[in-house]
Amino acid sequence: MSDLDDLFEAAKAVREKAYAPYSNFLVGAAFRTPDGSVFTGCNVENASYPVSVCAEGGAVSAMIAAGQREIAEAVVIGDAALCTPCGICRQRFKEFGKDDLVVHVADLNGIKRSFTLDELLPAAFELEQKD
Ligand code: THU
């Protein structure tokens, strides 16, 4: 299996762990970091809906807790035809990904589309100006 197949399988497996009794919409996210490590997260909802955390948020927490700071490649998998990351999660990717970071969007059968972070969040907000 390729590294991308592994990342897809990790996202698919963690999606099964999602706690989403309110939306019944299960999401999994898997990030690969530059050293080849893989971190995963699933959505965790709450009766007070805004308290819910997206799958990408869980994967970011796992990555940071392990001492890593860069997402090299990501897979997000959900029930929708095209489960693209929500706006808040695009900003999460911006914090830890370069503009050419590729985020693959998958359904249960495989990867459907791949986007660069710059495509997902053009003209993104950041505190440090790179130019
Ligand atoms: N969700 C994610 O986990 N990631 C996204 O990027 C899109 C939405 C979750 C949030 C909520 O638990 C459910 O999907 C339905 O919106």
Side-chain angles (χ1 to χ4, degrees), residues 31 33 39 57-70 95-96:
F31 301 165
T33 52
F39 299 95
V60 165
S61 294
M63 180 187 80
I64 295 300
Q68 301 226 22
R69 291 283 188 273
E70 187 187 339
E95 190 72 23
F96 301 109

Side-chain angles (χ1 to χ4, degrees), residues 27-29 31 54-56 74-77 82-93 101-106 113 115-117 120-121:
V27 184
F31 301 165
C54 283
E56 296 90 328
V75 172
V76 178
I77 178 169
L82 201 60
C83 182
T84 49
C86 76
I88 286 175
C89 289
R90 293 175 194 212
Q91 188 70 31
R92 290 189 212 280
F93 280 122
L101 160 66
V102 177
V103 178
H104 306 280
V105 177
R113 295 264 312 262
F115 303 89
T116 64
L117 179 54
L120 290 174
L121 194 66

Side-chain angles (χ1 to χ4, degrees), residues 19-20 23 25 27 42-45 52-56 76 83-86 89:
Y19 176 76
S23 70
F25 190 88
V27 184
C42 56
N43 53 331
V44 181
E45 297 185 345
S52 303
V53 180
C54 283
E56 296 90 328
V76 178
C83 182
T84 49
C86 76
C89 289

